[in-house]
Amino acid sequence: MIKTQVVKLKVNKTMQKHLDNLCDYRRYCWNKGLETWQLMYEAHTLNKKDNPSPNERRVRDELVAKKEDWQYELSARCLQLVVKDLANAWKNFFDKAQSDWGKPSFKSKKAPRQSFKTDRAKIVNGKLRLDKPRSVSKEDWFDLSSYGALKMSEVKVVSIFKEKNAYYAALPYEEKIEYKSKTHQKTAVDVNVGHFNYTDGQINVLPVKLQKLYKRIKHYQRMLARKREINGKSAIKSNNYSAVRTKLQRDYRKVANIQNDLLQKFTTKLVDNYDQIVIEDLAVKDMMMTHVASKGMQRSLFSKFRQILTYKCDWYGKELILADKTYPSTQRCAKCGYVKTGDEKITLQGNQKHGTKHNEYICYKCDYSNDRDENAVLNLLALAR
């Protein structure tokens, strides 16, 4: 299996300057390549006979032919890999099944993450050595050590990115993974805002410590907004503004680490104890009705849970079963199979006709009653073989 290790880099001020220049150069190449691609496509649309359709080779040749003098001082591989990624982005645009489907857009220097790629990096004495641009002398170019030990001795394509004033490296490597032993057990997971239900209980993905962090994040966001409202664009230049923004970024990082730890442990527990796992194939965008509900769904990380569980099932030889989007796991009776329709449906407010709460499931055909989420788990479990 191909895994990716993300490590935080120890970078001095000299290397910070060079890495920032490479990040800026990748963004410049991406925007220039996207502009060229769009112009070629428009010309091809107007006159297909004289103007061929854009592709990776044609766009790359056009960018290389129009290189400025200053571009020759930076890594040539940066431009080559940008055009390759741009071609893949356009290819994914025509496949709506992609999780991050969308039209390629221009990169902004204000984006929270800036990055570049290289395929000429090496591991030397446990440190990462990047290919040196022509404009940099050997005395100003250093090997990068990391806060964690590297798990590989060779690397191919390395992604360096800057986020929240820290530098990270994403290093792919191959690892032999053995399938886990069979348990002959099956389970189903019903995802909800704030918690996931499965056959052995419930896991809370928005614990109390996260609620405290979100309150503090809201407080810092209001402080920054108030400073921008009073001082305008000059607010971002003040030291006080930078200090508050640093605190905000720190809390966002804490939230991401806590939730990632919860999901990793929960998905590992599932693949350790079960051979078949059933989850719902949810249309999350269609479920975001109000800004309040949308915020809760985004914080519950439905898509990330499915992503992590998918690759872990592939790694360890477990079977992941997706329930169809139209499968009525909530409205179906787990005992007799009756599906509620019309004014008998259970909504977020419950059922007004029978006066039941949103977490109650009562079947009026067979007098079956259960918790709504537990009933959904049993319905999903019926899809396992």
Side-chain angles (χ1 to χ4, degrees):
M1 290 293 177
I2 297 178
K3 289 187 174 183
T4 301
Q5 182 186 12
V6 179
V7 293
K8 187 176 181 180
L9 300 175
K10 299 178 181 179
V11 183
N12 56 28
K13 292 185 178 180
T14 304
M15 287 301 293
Q16 284 183 13
K17 179 181 178 181
H18 297 318
L19 295 181
D20 288 344
N21 290 338
L22 289 171
C23 290
D24 294 340
Y25 183 49
R26 174 180 170 83
R27 185 179 65 252
Y28 170 84
C29 292
W30 176 276
N31 293 340
K32 206 71 176 176
L34 182 55
E35 179 186 9
T36 304
W37 195 294
Q38 291 177 345
L39 292 175
M40 284 186 175
Y41 181 78
E42 291 175 0
H44 173 71
T45 304
L46 296 175
N47 188 353
K48 295 183 179 180
K49 184 177 180 181
D50 298 332
N51 300 304
S53 61
N55 58 28
E56 180 181 347
R57 178 181 59 81
R58 294 191 181 100
V59 173
R60 182 182 64 244
D61 293 345
E62 182 74 13
L63 292 180
V64 172
K66 295 183 178 180
K67 285 180 72 172
E68 303 288 344
D69 293 339
W70 61 270
Q71 290 183 252
Y72 289 97
E73 298 179 356
L74 297 169
S75 175
R77 297 304 302 163
C78 190
L79 187 146
Q80 307 285 343
L81 294 174
V82 161
V83 178
K84 184 177 180 181
D85 291 343
L86 183 61
N88 291 332
W90 277 112
K91 183 180 178 182
N92 294 337
F93 173 63
F94 295 99
D95 182 11
K96 289 188 177 181
Q98 296 290 332
S99 58
D100 54 349
W101 175 82
K103 185 178 180 180
S105 59
F106 291 97
K107 305 292 184 182
S108 172
K109 64 179 180 181
K110 296 182 181 179
R113 173 180 289 195
Q114 303 290 337
S115 65
F116 71 93
K117 287 184 178 181
T118 179
D119 56 358
R120 293 181 178 175
K122 299 178 181 178
I123 304 295
V124 180
N125 297 326
K127 296 182 179 181
L128 180 64
R129 177 177 296 177
L130 304 177
D131 51 325
K132 183 180 71 65
R134 295 181 181 179
S135 59
V136 183
S137 62
K138 292 183 178 179
E139 292 77 14
D140 293 337
W141 194 255
F142 302 95
D143 295 343
L144 301 175
S145 57
S146 61
Y147 286 95
L150 302 182
K151 299 180 181 180
M152 73 294 295
S153 57
E154 295 181 358
V155 289
K156 294 182 180 179
V157 179
V158 177
S159 177
I160 308 294
F161 61 93
K162 177 184 178 182
E163 192 175 44
K164 298 179 177 64
N165 296 324
Y167 295 83
Y168 301 87
L171 309 169
Y173 65 99
E174 294 183 358
E175 182 178 354
K176 186 177 180 180
I177 300 177
E178 297 181 357
Y179 283 174
K180 292 185 178 292
S181 58
K182 298 295 182 180
T183 61
H184 306 290
Q185 300 293 324
K186 56 186 179 181
T187 188
V189 182
D190 178 53
V191 295
N192 300 280
V193 175
H195 63 274
F196 296 168
N197 290 75
Y198 69 116
T199 51
D200 281 353
Q202 183 184 100
I203 175 174
N204 187 8
V205 294
L206 293 176
V208 176
K209 53 185 175 182
L210 277 188
Q211 301 297 338
K212 294 180 179 179
L213 284 173
Y214 280 127
K215 287 183 180 179
R216 203 158 62 193
I217 286 173
K218 186 176 181 180
H219 171 68
Y220 290 146
Q221 287 175 332
R222 285 180 174 177
M223 289 180 63
L224 295 179
R226 201 176 298 117
K227 292 178 185 298
R228 289 194 298 267
E229 183 179 356
I230 296 174
N231 301 321
K233 292 184 178 180
S234 61
I236 61 177
K237 298 179 182 179
S238 68
N239 293 333
N240 194 6
Y241 186 93
S242 300
V244 176
R245 185 173 58 184
T246 301
K247 294 177 182 178
L248 177 64
Q249 294 172 345
R250 177 199 62 193
D251 286 347
Y252 268 124
R253 172 62 63 183
K254 286 182 179 180
V255 169
N257 291 338
I258 291 172
Q259 287 195 307
N260 182 65
D261 182 65
L262 285 172
L263 293 181
Q264 292 289 350
K265 290 180 178 178
F266 180 54
T267 51
T268 299
K269 181 179 179 180
L270 291 177
V271 297
D272 282 343
N273 298 332
Y274 303 100
D275 293 342
Q276 290 182 334
I277 305 169
V278 186
I279 62 173
E280 294 177 286
D281 185 13
L282 297 175
V284 179
K285 289 185 179 180
D286 298 337
M287 298 169 62
M288 295 183 179
M289 297 169 288
T290 64
H291 71 282
V292 178
S294 300
K295 185 178 292 186
M297 289 181 184
Q298 290 172 350
R299 290 176 176 177
S300 298
L301 302 179
F302 292 170
S303 60
K304 186 172 183 179
F305 166 72
R306 175 177 169 178
Q307 179 187 22
I308 296 174
L309 187 60
T310 300
Y311 72 69
K312 285 191 177 181
C313 287
D314 291 338
W315 284 356
Y316 301 115
K318 299 304 176 75
E319 183 179 5
L320 180 64
I321 302 173
L322 292 178
D324 190 78
K325 292 181 180 180
T326 59
Y327 183 69
S329 60
T330 304
Q331 309 298 336
R332 180 179 181 271
C333 176
K335 184 177 180 180
C336 67
Y338 173 73
V339 179
K340 293 187 175 184
T341 57
D343 56 359
E344 290 190 354
K345 276 189 172 183
I346 303 176
T347 64
L348 294 176
Q349 292 76 31
N351 183 269
Q352 295 181 355
K353 180 180 178 181
H354 300 285
T356 57
K357 299 180 181 179
H358 74 283
N359 61 335
E360 293 179 339
Y361 185 91
I362 300 176
C363 178
Y364 301 100
K365 295 293 183 180
C366 64
D367 295 331
Y368 169 79
S369 62
N370 198 350
D371 182 80
R372 170 182 173 173
D373 298 331
E374 294 180 3
N375 178 72
V377 170
L378 294 175
N379 286 323
L380 292 173
L381 192 62
L383 297 178
R385 290 187 293 275

